[in-house]
Amino acid sequence: MAITATENDGVSLITDKISYDLVETDVEIITSGRGRIPAHSGVLAAASPVLKNIIEKPRKSHGGSSKRVIKILGVPCDAVSVFIRFLYSPSLTEKEMESYGIHLLALSHVYMVTHLKQRCTKGVGERVTVENVVDVLQLARLCDAPGLCLKCMRLIHSKFKTVEQTEGWKFLQENDPFLELDILQFIDDAESRKKRRRRHRREQNLYMQLSEAMECIEHICTEGCTLVGPSSNLDNNKLKAGPCSAFSTCYGLQLLIRHFAVCKKRVDGKGCIRCKRMIQLFRLHSSICDQSESCRVPLCRQFKQRGEKDKKMVEDTKWNVLVRRVASAKAMSSLSQSKKKKSDVLFKEEAEDFIRIRKTKVF
């Protein structure tokens, strides 16, 4: 579609469905720099509810031209021309978005042209830079564009030291301290969330490590591993010679168990840090274990009985939280392992079927 203004204010507007050059224009858009753009009231009213209200308002007749005059000031004349053309045919070129995207966003918000506002929000967001991010943020807040606001806030957060040096930020500090406070609050909240996520990842990693330690303790005390195992396995020389799947954790626990068995400080009551750590692991296992009667892990039954008697200990709340999270991590670990085993079995079966089919085709 094209808009062509003539000397006598005629216009030629052609779309796929209507040839507007057959209809006389009845509206004149006045722009900055005294530019004049002729248009059709029916098209403007259909595209914008704000323009519809302006057109439908009664006007005083002073003679002269019968055309209604609508003033769109404060933006370049070319931007208004692109805006009016969009109302006739919703299309924008990349060059137009690059040159007038910010102006079109403001016009689309003021005149409530939703589809243009959506396109401008996306287009301006793709072109926002460190130099203009403060100006774009101010416009986005005025134009009620939360998605664009969030994008600008994130850019300021990630490049704050560079943004601080721009003229836009200096102007903001002098003229809009409330927006500056909002930005600083957003940055502080983002940093707090980042710290919480890091702490959560560290905690989850710790729970997974403790879960793996619980599995290794059960494995050592029931099956045995390279250094430590149940007495029946040791007597019959059935101790596993090769390393297990979690050998790095398992080996450390085996050394800790061997130390626990022969430590003289623990026996004398002087206290030993390594032995205390081993006792805590035994207690944690006892809190998670649901087969204490048949469990072969040392002290499991004793801790169960003590726990039933001493339920009002000061550390019970924190301890119970630790037990629940380690148990949850253990359940998630076993679930992922079972899924992996199932996928390995399915892959093996598919491979065997493929080999069988190939053999039948050969013979």
Side-chain angles (χ1 to χ4, degrees):
M1 188 203 75
I3 298 180
T4 306
T6 61
E7 293 181 358
N8 60 354
D9 294 340
V11 67
S12 176
L13 300 161
I14 301 175
T15 65
D16 295 337
K17 297 182 179 180
I18 303 174
S19 178
Y20 283 103
D21 57 352
L22 302 177
V23 182
E24 186 180 355
T25 59
D26 55 352
V27 175
E28 193 170 66
I29 309 294
I30 305 298
T31 68
S32 299
R34 298 182 181 181
R36 295 174 180 269
I37 303 174
H40 300 84
S41 60
V43 176
L44 302 184
S48 167
V50 176
L51 290 174
K52 181 180 179 182
N53 291 336
I54 295 173
I55 290 169
E56 289 179 351
K57 281 183 180 180
R59 57 174 180 159
K60 296 178 181 179
S61 178
H62 299 288
S65 175
S66 61
K67 292 184 178 181
R68 178 178 290 276
V69 175
I70 299 175
K71 294 182 179 180
I72 301 180
L73 307 174
V75 294
C77 179
D78 291 340
V80 179
S81 178
V82 173
F83 173 69
I84 298 299
R85 193 181 74 241
F86 186 89
L87 301 184
Y88 281 87
S89 178
S91 62
L92 281 176
T93 65
E94 290 295 320
K95 185 177 180 180
E96 290 169 342
M97 182 62 72
E98 182 74 32
S99 303
Y100 309 116
I102 291 177
H103 306 296
L104 293 174
L105 175 59
L107 290 171
S108 64
H109 173 71
V110 171
Y111 294 100
M112 299 177 65
V113 185
T114 306
H115 49 299
L116 176 58
K117 184 176 180 179
Q118 291 173 348
R119 293 185 63 175
C120 290
T121 300
K122 182 180 178 181
V124 172
E126 291 172 350
R127 292 166 175 81
V128 66
T129 64
V130 173
E131 293 298 326
N132 68 359
V133 64
V134 175
D135 298 330
V136 173
L137 175 60
Q138 290 176 307
L139 178 64
R141 285 164 64 92
L142 292 173
C143 294
D144 190 23
L148 184 57
C149 279
L150 181 59
K151 190 163 189 175
C152 292
M153 286 287 201
R154 286 174 174 171
L155 179 59
I156 292 173
H157 174 218
S158 62
K159 305 287 186 181
F160 184 66
K161 290 185 178 180
T162 308
V163 173
E164 274 188 310
Q165 307 302 319
T166 62
E167 292 298 325
W169 180 261
K170 294 174 183 177
F171 179 84
L172 177 71
Q173 286 181 308
E174 295 175 0
N175 297 276
D176 196 346
F178 293 105
L179 179 55
E180 180 190 5
L181 183 62
D182 288 343
I183 293 172
L184 296 177
Q185 184 65 49
F186 177 87
I187 294 173
D188 184 63
D189 292 343
E191 290 296 325
S192 299
R193 286 193 299 271
K194 188 184 294 186
K195 290 179 181 178
R196 287 196 298 270
R197 285 195 296 268
R198 288 174 181 170
R199 185 172 63 249
H200 178 71
R201 283 196 295 267
R202 286 196 300 267
E203 290 175 353
Q204 290 301 116
N205 187 38
L206 174 62
Y207 299 143
M208 291 301 296
Q209 290 176 0
L210 288 173
S211 169
E212 187 177 59
M214 296 300 100
E215 292 177 356
C216 288
I217 287 176
E218 294 176 13
H219 152 69
I220 292 168
C221 296
T222 54
E223 302 171 5
C225 201
T226 54
L227 300 176
V228 181
S231 57
S232 59
N233 288 13
L234 293 172
D235 295 339
N236 300 325
N237 296 322
K238 294 180 180 179
L239 201 59
K240 186 185 292 184
C244 60
S245 58
F247 184 69
S248 59
T249 303
C250 196
Y251 183 73
L253 284 171
Q254 291 179 74
L255 295 177
L256 205 57
I257 292 172
R258 292 182 70 176
H259 167 82
F260 183 79
V262 298
C263 181
K264 294 182 179 180
K265 288 184 179 180
R266 178 179 62 84
V267 176
D268 296 338
K270 294 180 180 179
C272 173
I273 295 176
R274 297 175 68 185
C275 291
K276 287 180 180 178
R277 192 178 302 161
M278 193 70 247
I279 290 173
Q280 288 176 340
L281 291 174
F282 283 146
R283 185 188 172 195
L284 181 59
H285 162 80
S286 175
S287 301
I288 296 172
C289 182
D290 55 358
Q291 297 177 349
S292 57
E293 295 299 326
S294 59
C295 183
R296 304 185 69 176
V297 176
L299 305 177
C300 182
R301 191 180 305 174
Q302 290 87 331
F303 277 122
K304 282 282 186 185
Q305 294 171 353
R306 186 190 297 179
E308 292 174 358
K309 293 178 183 178
D310 304 332
K311 288 185 177 180
K312 295 182 179 181
M313 294 176 65
V314 177
E315 69 273 18
D316 265 355
T317 304
K318 292 183 179 179
W319 182 261
N320 290 334
V321 170
L322 176 64
V323 170
R324 285 197 303 271
R325 292 185 177 177
V326 172
S328 175
K330 185 177 179 182
M332 294 298 294
S333 176
S334 59
L335 181 62
S336 62
Q337 287 177 3
S338 63
K339 286 183 177 180
K340 185 178 180 181
K341 287 179 181 178
K342 287 181 181 179
S343 63
D344 291 343
V345 170
L346 289 173
F347 180 77
K348 185 177 180 181
E349 291 177 351
E350 290 176 357
E352 290 175 352
D353 291 340
F354 178 75
I355 293 171
R356 195 180 303 112
I357 293 170
R358 290 289 300 270
K359 286 182 178 179
T360 53
K361 286 185 178 180
V362 171
F363 292 106

